[in-house]
């Protein structure tokens, strides 16, 4: 019960109760609240004791500071590396995750550097694991955020994200080469995928059939617990299977025949686990005894599918691309048909029916195709990004007279384009008609083109990277748009040039913008921008 009501022994008198409904403040009125008032209110404790309420107030305050006219983003730090650079939740990782910087201070600060290692021991992939808030864990180190890292010699490590201290390590296998890390359920379950087994020429000549495609090792986090290692066998999933991932408890299997099939991983574990194995405990497997997770024993393959099991969902799609999300559940895919290439179909997951207005086609003429995905803000909306247009789509569901869904546009963001483009047909001074052979591309480098879209959840802003090629180099700006209306709130220039022929990543995290780019000769660069306030004119 709320303490303000529990403290009252008698109900308030009628005179003390205001029966008139208070006037609602508009969003614009709320946005005009002075930052100083917020700070003073926080100082005297006017906010709720709920930590979530205080955080929302603080983020609302930060949003106002970021968007005001006197606020600028200034480049404060640049680093160059010969290996890929990664960013995750305020941490910048260089030299294959050996060197870590914090991007939270006004200038990135060096946190730690792991000991030098050989090429065989280098870290191949990593995931950032936050601490569990819902329960008390057996070991104090289990409560701390950590970096889950996979080495080239098949070790799984847990490092402290603040000091680089090694908290735990697990040896996977001496028989299978594991290479990739991925979340199944973020911050709950992750998987490690091995390299695909390829049949050698010698085995092919000998008539040996290689039926095992790969292996998946699945773990729970906080604390680190083994679920098992699963063998992906062509005898079970079909000879056309080409790739497998695990996401949200679903085993997604892609085939060379452009078919994607989804299976329940929980059903697989319950039905086909041959023996429970626990990290750190003694185990006997095929006549060999050893400690699970220690060399040379490693972890045995304890999940063997030896029969057919039900398919949850199946769809034929172009390039094996399918996305599931929305409210209610829908999926997005491109049918495996030439006439549908370039379109995106939005269908109900319940019965597979195409939503009304469910075929989305940008009809753009460009070198790079448009892309579409479910909004990461869990609103169930869909973001469709093209070279010059960003459409925010919403799914509406009706139950009468029969269940049906409809895709409607919520708002659009349009690039600033020069409308004085050269006409397709022109007439010379002598009266001769000249037709242009090629139409100008929608992603023409001389026109402003959308390259990246990043969502900042705490400030509820969309960061849209706009690139224009001027004077033999690309000039990039970051447009900050309101996530609910699409309105442009602020436009920020990036100081470095943007070469569209190389890959780029951009992260917008509260008061920080991180731009990671790949340059010539396999060089990688990281640029960090921070908020600064200048004196008003």
């Amino acid at each position: 019960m709320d303490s303000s009501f529990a403290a009252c022994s008698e109900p308030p008198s009628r005179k003390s109760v205001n029966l008139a409904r208070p006037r609602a403040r508009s969003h614009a009125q709320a946005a005009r609240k002075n930052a100083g008032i917020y700070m003073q209110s926080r100082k005297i404790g006017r906010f709720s004791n709920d930590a979530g309420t205080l955080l929302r107030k603080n983020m609302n305050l930060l949003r106002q500071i970021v968007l005001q006219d006197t606020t600028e983003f200034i480049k404060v730090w640049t680093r160059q590396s010969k290996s890929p650079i990664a960013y995750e939740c305020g941490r910048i990782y260089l030299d294959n995750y050996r060197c870590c910087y914090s991007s939270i201070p006004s200038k990135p600060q060096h946190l730690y550097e792991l000991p030098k290692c050989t090429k065989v021991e280098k870290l191949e992939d990593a995931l950032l694991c936050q601490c569990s808030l819902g329960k008390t864990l057996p070991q104090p180190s289990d409560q701390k955020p950590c970096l889950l890292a996979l080495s080239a010699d098949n070790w799984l490590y847990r490092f402290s994200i603040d000091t680089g201290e090694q908290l735990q390590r697990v040896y996977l296998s001496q028989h299978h080469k594991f290479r990739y890390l991925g979340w199944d359920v973020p911050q709950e379950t992750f998987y490690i995928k091995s390299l695909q087994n390829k049949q050698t020429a010698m085995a092919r000549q000998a008539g040996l059939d290689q039926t095992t495609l790969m292996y998946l090792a699945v773990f729970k986090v906080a604390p680190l617990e083994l679920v098992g290692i699963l063998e992906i066998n062509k005898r079970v999933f079909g000879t056309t299977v080409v790739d497998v991932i695990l996401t949200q408890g679903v085993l997604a299997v892609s085939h060379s025949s452009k078919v994607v099939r989804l299976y329940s991983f929980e059903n697989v574990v319950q039905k086909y686990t041959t023996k429970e194995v626990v990290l750190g405990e003694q185990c006997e497997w095929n006549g060999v005894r050893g400690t699970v997770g220690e060399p040379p024993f490693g972890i045995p393959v304890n999940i063997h599918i030896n029969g057919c099991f039900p398919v949850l969902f199946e769809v034929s799609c172009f390039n094996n691309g399918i996305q599931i999300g929305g409210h209610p559940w829908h999926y997005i895919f491109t049918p495996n048909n030439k006439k549908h290439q370039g379109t995106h179909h939005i269908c109900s997951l319940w019965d597979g029916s195409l939503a009304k207005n469910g075929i989305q086609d940008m009809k753009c003429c460009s070198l790079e195709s448009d892309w579409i995905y479910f909004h990461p803000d869990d609103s169930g909306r869909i973001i469709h990004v093209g070279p010059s247009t960003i459409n925010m789509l919403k799914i509406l569901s009706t139950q009468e007279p029969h269940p049906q869904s409809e895709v409607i546009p919520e708002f659009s963001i349009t690039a600033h384009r020069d409308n004085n483009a050269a006409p397709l047909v022109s007439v010379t001074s002598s009266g001769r008609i000249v037709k242009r052979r090629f139409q100008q591309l929608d992603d023409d480098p001389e026109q402003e083109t959308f390259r990246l879209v990043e969502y900042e959840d705490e400030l509820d802003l969309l960061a849209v990277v706009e690139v224009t090629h001027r004077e033999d180099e690309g000039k990039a700006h970051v447009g900050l748009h309101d996530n609910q209306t699409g309105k442009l709130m602020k436009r920020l220039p990036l100081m470095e040039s943007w070469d569209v022929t190389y890959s780029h990543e951009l992260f917008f995290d509260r008061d920080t913008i991180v731009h990671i780019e790949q340059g010539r000769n396999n060089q990688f660069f990281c640029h960090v921008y921070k908020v600064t306030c200048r004196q008003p004119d």
Side-chain angles (χ1 to χ4, degrees):
M1 182 181 291
D2 191 287
S3 59
S4 61
F5 289 95
C8 298
S9 57
E10 296 181 359
S13 64
R14 188 173 181 85
K15 291 183 180 180
S16 65
V17 179
N18 185 7
L19 298 180
R21 181 179 178 180
R23 294 180 61 187
R25 287 192 309 162
S26 67
H27 184 272
Q29 288 175 317
R32 286 198 300 266
K33 192 168 184 178
N34 189 281
I37 297 178
Y38 271 122
M39 301 294 289
Q40 186 66 21
S41 299
R42 184 171 60 179
K43 179 180 178 180
I44 63 177
R46 285 187 58 189
F47 296 153
S48 165
N49 292 329
D50 179 15
T53 300
L54 180 58
L55 178 62
R56 286 192 298 272
K57 293 288 186 181
N58 289 341
M59 291 302 103
N60 191 13
L61 172 62
L62 179 59
R63 174 185 162 114
Q64 293 182 37
I65 293 175
V66 167
L67 296 180
Q68 65 186 8
D69 295 337
T70 55
T71 299
E72 298 175 348
F73 277 79
I74 302 298
K75 186 194 288 192
V76 297
W77 191 80
T78 296
R79 280 295 182 277
Q80 181 179 349
S81 173
K82 294 181 180 180
S83 58
I85 303 173
Y87 175 84
E88 186 76 32
C89 296
R91 299 288 189 272
I92 302 170
Y93 297 97
L94 298 92
D95 196 11
N96 296 314
Y97 300 97
R98 281 188 56 252
C99 185
C100 179
Y101 286 81
S102 171
S103 66
I104 296 176
S106 57
K107 285 187 178 181
Q109 293 183 358
H110 183 266
L111 289 180
Y112 64 84
E113 188 165 340
L114 300 177
K116 291 186 177 181
C117 60
T118 64
K119 188 176 180 180
V120 177
E121 301 169 320
K122 74 172 184 176
L123 301 181
E124 299 273 14
D125 202 359
L127 293 174
L128 186 65
C129 180
Q130 304 290 350
C131 62
S132 173
L133 300 178
K135 57 183 177 181
T136 302
L137 301 176
Q139 300 295 329
S141 63
D142 294 335
Q143 296 285 164
K144 299 178 181 179
C146 64
L147 186 73
L148 299 167
L150 176 66
S151 67
D153 55 351
N154 271 1
W155 281 94
L156 174 67
Y157 293 96
R158 288 180 58 240
F159 296 112
S160 166
I161 66 170
D162 295 320
T163 64
E165 175 191 0
Q166 184 186 125
L167 305 176
Q168 188 177 359
R169 69 174 189 168
V170 175
Y171 184 67
L172 299 174
S173 174
Q174 63 176 339
H175 305 293
H176 319 303
K177 173 63 176 175
F178 288 91
R179 177 60 61 87
Y180 309 104
L181 284 169
W183 285 112
D184 169 19
V185 180
Q187 307 303 324
E188 293 184 16
T189 311
F190 70 97
Y191 67 93
I192 313 175
K193 187 164 67 171
S194 75
L195 293 174
Q196 294 189 13
N197 293 327
K198 294 183 179 180
Q199 191 174 22
T200 62
M202 186 177 298
R204 194 181 302 111
Q205 290 176 1
L208 300 177
D209 188 16
Q210 177 61 265
T211 60
T212 301
L213 178 71
M214 65 173 67
Y215 296 88
L216 290 181
V218 185
F219 294 83
K220 293 181 180 179
V221 297
L224 188 65
E225 294 178 352
L226 174 68
V227 176
I229 294 186
L230 166 68
E231 178 189 38
I232 305 299
N233 198 300
K234 294 182 180 180
R235 291 175 181 170
V236 175
F237 295 97
T239 58
T240 58
V241 58
V242 293
D243 198 10
V244 177
I245 63 169
L246 189 61
T247 174
Q248 300 297 329
V250 173
L251 198 66
V253 182
S254 303
H255 295 260
S256 59
S257 56
K258 307 299 183 183
V259 172
V260 177
R261 294 188 178 100
L262 307 184
Y263 304 87
S264 168
F265 183 68
E266 181 182 5
N267 184 26
V268 170
V269 172
Q270 292 177 352
K271 192 173 181 180
Y272 298 106
T273 300
T274 57
K275 185 177 181 179
E276 297 285 345
V277 290
V278 180
L279 294 177
E281 294 189 359
Q282 290 289 313
C283 175
E284 183 175 347
W285 196 271
N286 294 333
V288 179
R289 189 170 184 83
T291 303
V292 179
E294 293 292 336
F297 190 76
I299 302 174
V301 180
N302 63 331
I303 303 177
H304 288 275
I305 303 174
N306 51 21
C308 298
F309 57 107
V311 178
L312 297 178
F313 179 77
E314 179 179 340
V315 64
S316 176
C317 53
F318 177 72
N319 203 22
N320 289 329
I322 178 175
Q323 301 177 65
I324 298 177
H327 306 305
W329 290 101
H330 281 68
Y331 63 96
I332 306 173
F333 75 110
T334 298
N336 186 25
N337 192 308
K338 284 188 177 181
K339 69 177 182 179
H340 292 302
Q341 289 185 16
T343 67
H344 305 278
H345 292 227
I346 304 171
C347 300
S348 169
L349 191 63
W350 175 255
D351 57 5
S353 61
L354 180 68
K356 184 179 179 182
N357 195 32
I359 300 179
Q360 295 294 315
D361 186 0
M362 279 282 184
K363 293 183 176 166
C364 52
C365 178
S366 59
L367 296 177
E368 297 181 12
S369 61
D370 55 317
W371 68 96
I372 190 169
Y373 58 98
F374 287 100
H375 200 311
D377 68 353
D378 293 330
S379 63
R381 295 180 297 174
I382 297 171
I383 301 178
H384 189 187
V385 185
S388 60
T389 305
I390 300 174
N391 292 328
M392 186 69 72
L393 308 173
K394 186 176 181 180
I395 300 175
L396 295 182
S397 180
T398 59
Q399 298 297 327
E400 295 179 359
H402 53 82
Q404 186 181 12
S405 56
E406 180 182 3
V407 178
I408 63 171
E410 195 169 58
F411 61 80
S412 293
I413 300 173
T414 306
H416 302 286
R417 289 296 178 94
D418 182 8
N419 295 324
N420 298 322
L424 292 177
V425 180
S426 59
V427 181
T428 65
S429 57
S430 62
R432 185 168 59 93
I433 297 177
V434 179
K435 294 184 178 180
R436 290 176 57 198
R437 294 182 61 186
F438 301 103
Q439 184 178 356
Q440 187 180 41
L441 295 175
D442 290 317
D443 57 354
D444 188 284
E446 295 185 358
Q447 298 281 353
E448 183 180 276
T449 305
F450 295 140
R451 293 292 175 179
L452 291 173
V453 178
E454 172 75 2
Y455 173 58
E456 214 304 322
D457 57 341
E458 293 177 303
L459 303 184
D460 202 31
L461 292 172
L462 290 173
V464 179
V465 178
E466 314 152 354
V467 178
T468 308
H469 204 268
R470 289 285 186 269
E471 299 177 357
D472 297 330
E473 65 175 357
K475 295 293 185 181
H477 287 78
V478 179
L480 302 184
H481 296 258
D482 183 84
N483 182 48
Q484 304 303 321
T485 64
K487 180 182 177 182
L488 178 62
M489 311 298 290
K490 198 179 188 70
R491 201 162 179 260
L492 315 167
L494 296 183
M495 303 304 296
E496 64 278 1
S497 62
W498 188 290
D499 191 339
V500 297
T501 59
Y502 295 96
S503 63
H504 297 260
E505 290 182 287
L506 185 123
F507 303 90
F508 181 29
D509 196 352
R510 294 188 177 180
D511 64 339
T512 307
I513 291 178
V514 179
H515 174 210
I516 298 175
E517 61 171 329
Q518 178 183 1
R520 295 180 176 87
N521 302 322
N522 264 351
Q523 294 291 320
F524 296 86
F525 301 86
C526 179
H527 312 277
V528 177
Y529 292 77
K530 280 287 186 178
V531 160
T532 182
C533 294
R534 58 175 173 80
Q535 293 295 330
D537 297 334

